Amino acid sequence: MTHRREGGLAKFRSFASEQLNPMRVYGYARVSTSGQELDIQIAQLDTAGCKRVFCEKESGTKDNRRVLSQLLRRLRPGDVVIVSALDRLTRGGPFKMLSILAEITSRGAAYKSLAEPWADTTHELGEVLAALVGYIARKTREDIIRRTSAGRERARQNGVKFGRKPKLGVAQRQAALARRMAGEKQKVIAKAYNVSCSTISRLKPPDTTG
């Protein structure tokens, strides 16, 4: 859902000016539930000079929000995204916040938060801030991957097995295998254990060569 301040002929003039001026100023407003209103945020973004405001009623912890994705895809070099506060972009934690900000700057656009003056890449120090945000986002992701990999390795060393849990327990596999090797039809065995025939066909006797 988007909001335009202009109406009638002014809409056409605004659209024409967007074509002549490569810099477009977009606003993004979000509330978590349908019972909340966007009016205050829209008014703040209008005052800040946004020509178009993208509005959304979705939880800030939800990934892949449709309207936010539309806004990000629309961005071109020189555009500006303004929010009333950074938590309007996401409540998914620092990494998700940095990722969204890094995506904005990666498209050549700038961002500005009305509630956090430091979060403004439209001024002379904007390029430095954008580079810093991109670096922090990248390092944060690398740290998460490294910690996750280390945790999985420790768990594996402690005997934790990853992947899907077997549909049949050890005793069930042994019993089903014995029935199959005795000549019983796989379809009958599979029905007895409520599994597919392929599960029964994949059963193998334990390796006793070692």
Side-chain angles (χ1 to χ4, degrees):
M1 179 172 63
T2 59
H3 164 79
R4 282 185 181 272
R5 290 187 297 158
E6 303 85 353
L9 181 60
K11 278 188 179 181
F12 172 78
R13 289 173 178 166
S14 173
F15 178 78
S17 65
E18 284 183 3
Q19 305 307 307
L20 296 174
N21 185 357
M23 187 189 79
R24 296 167 298 185
V25 181
Y26 296 123
Y28 177 75
R30 182 192 61 78
V31 290
S32 297
T33 65
S34 58
Q36 296 175 299
E37 297 300 330
L38 292 156
D39 296 0
I40 295 177
Q41 292 181 55
I42 291 174
Q44 292 174 329
L45 296 172
D46 280 347
T47 302
C50 296
K51 299 301 182 183
R52 184 172 183 180
V53 178
F54 287 74
C55 301
E56 193 156 41
K57 293 190 176 184
E58 290 280 6
S59 169
T61 60
K62 181 180 178 180
D63 293 329
N64 301 319
R65 276 170 279 137
R66 183 175 60 85
V67 176
L68 178 60
S69 297
Q70 289 176 353
L71 169 59
L72 295 176
R73 288 196 301 268
R74 189 182 184 89
L75 295 177
R76 298 293 181 269
D79 291 349
V80 180
V81 177
I82 301 179
V83 291
S84 60
L86 287 177
D87 63 5
R88 297 303 85 199
L89 291 173
T90 181
R91 285 187 177 276
F95 173 67
K96 288 187 178 180
M97 176 68 70
L98 292 170
S99 297
I100 293 175
L101 296 179
E103 181 170 356
I104 293 173
T105 56
S106 71
R107 295 174 180 271
Y111 57 81
K112 179 178 181 179
S113 168
L114 302 180
E116 294 99 350
W118 60 267
D120 182 358
T121 59
T122 63
H123 52 64
E124 63 273 11
L125 295 179
E127 292 186 6
V128 176
L129 177 58
L132 179 61
V133 167
Y135 171 78
I136 295 174
R138 185 171 64 255
K139 291 297 293 181
T140 301
R141 178 170 178 77
E142 291 174 356
D143 289 343
I144 291 174
I145 293 174
R146 184 170 59 254
R147 288 196 299 269
T148 301
S149 298
R152 288 176 65 89
E153 182 59 31
R154 285 196 300 272
R156 188 176 291 109
Q157 292 174 357
N158 291 331
V160 177
K161 294 184 178 180
F162 296 94
R164 282 192 309 180
K165 184 178 179 180
K167 293 181 179 180
L168 298 175
V170 176
Q172 289 177 315
R173 290 198 299 271
Q174 292 174 345
L177 179 61
R179 291 172 62 174
R180 193 190 74 187
M181 296 180 69
E184 191 171 351
K185 291 184 178 180
Q186 293 185 17
K187 184 177 181 180
V188 175
I189 304 172
K191 185 175 182 180
Y193 290 100
N194 195 28
V195 295
S196 65
C197 289
S198 60
T199 298
I200 301 301
S201 66
R202 287 196 298 268
L203 293 175
K204 296 180 180 179
D207 186 3
T208 58
T209 60

